[in-house]
Amino acid sequence: MPHIVIISSSIRKGRNSHRTALYFKNFIENKALASVELLDLKAYNFPLFEERLRFFDQPTALMLEFAEKIKNADGVLIVTPEYNGGYPSSLKNVIDLLYDEWKRKPVAISTNSGGPFGGTQVITSLQFSLWKIGAWTVPAMFPVPKVQDAFDEEGIPSDQAGTDKRAKAFIDELLWCINAKSKMP
């Protein structure tokens, strides 16, 4: 069974995108599609990026733990809000912290916003950052418009059937990429 790490990117108070991360954790576990682990960047409280992990003289235990979890994951699902047309610095921070851990890693992206576009304005800049470090971004997207209405605080969707149908196609694409990567030399 593949192992998927979900990164919940928002660290601010009243964050709504974390609801989407909780939904995906529950969805993947309940459908027994993969083992799953939620990495909440709010819990890590990383310092601002100053250097790649491999160049740190004394990386923190949390930095090493995070790097190991990304390295050992078969795939990563990033859940990110859109802030003013971009993704949060907390996410940019951990993308830049690592390098080899991202190489050829299948990465699916779910964007979220409080407005009607679901964070779609952020997808290209996030994909570009991931491409530059060699990650394999999954072509399927999962935008969530009006995220505050789409999920409750526990990650329960307001439209269970519709959300599950979209999520199945999205996660299937990530799983396909994970499977394809496992067959590559």
Side-chain angles (χ1 to χ4, degrees):
M1 179 178 282
H3 182 66
I4 297 172
V5 165
I6 299 170
I7 298 176
S8 182
S9 303
S10 180
I11 61 170
R12 70 184 198 185
K13 280 184 176 182
R15 62 194 177 151
N16 288 314
S17 63
H18 189 67
R19 298 171 181 207
T20 305
L22 292 172
Y23 164 76
F24 275 117
K25 182 177 186 304
N26 293 332
F27 178 82
I28 294 166
E29 287 176 339
N30 292 339
K31 303 286 185 195
L33 300 172
S35 62
V36 65
E37 183 173 11
L38 180 62
L39 303 182
D40 184 353
L41 295 186
K42 188 173 187 171
Y44 279 91
N45 195 27
F46 286 124
L48 286 177
F49 175 78
E50 76 182 61
E51 189 55 80
R52 292 209 186 277
L53 179 62
R54 64 183 172 186
F55 298 121
F56 267 82
D57 289 329
Q58 296 180 331
T60 68
L62 283 177
M63 288 176 179
L64 296 172
E65 173 190 296
F66 185 84
E68 194 66 21
K69 288 178 185 225
I70 297 299
K71 179 181 173 184
N72 292 331
D74 296 304
V76 176
L77 193 168
I78 295 175
V79 178
T80 184
E82 178 183 325
Y83 295 156
N84 304 314
Y87 54 96
S89 58
S90 54
L91 179 56
K92 180 68 168 140
N93 205 35
V94 297
I95 289 171
D96 289 343
L97 178 67
L98 307 180
Y99 191 78
D100 292 334
E101 295 83 356
W102 294 115
K103 189 76 172 171
R104 295 190 178 113
K105 183 75 63 182
V107 179
I109 301 168
S110 173
T111 56
N112 295 241
S113 74
F117 301 113
T120 55
Q121 294 178 38
V122 75
I123 191 74
T124 54
S125 60
L126 180 51
Q127 281 179 321
F128 186 75
S129 291
L130 290 164
W131 288 338
K132 289 294 286 182
I133 57 175
W136 179 9
T137 59
V138 173
M141 297 185 301
F142 195 92
V144 181
K146 299 185 180 179
V147 64
Q148 68 279 5
D149 300 329
F151 299 99
D152 71 12
E153 290 182 11
E154 309 301 314
I156 308 297
S158 55
D159 174 11
Q160 186 79 52
T163 304
D164 285 356
K165 183 178 179 181
R166 288 181 56 228
K168 173 100 172 67
F170 178 67
I171 297 299
D172 281 352
E173 191 72 13
L174 174 58
L175 292 170
W176 186 93
C177 291
I178 289 169
N179 185 47
K181 183 183 180 273
S182 74
K183 295 176 181 176
M184 295 177 190

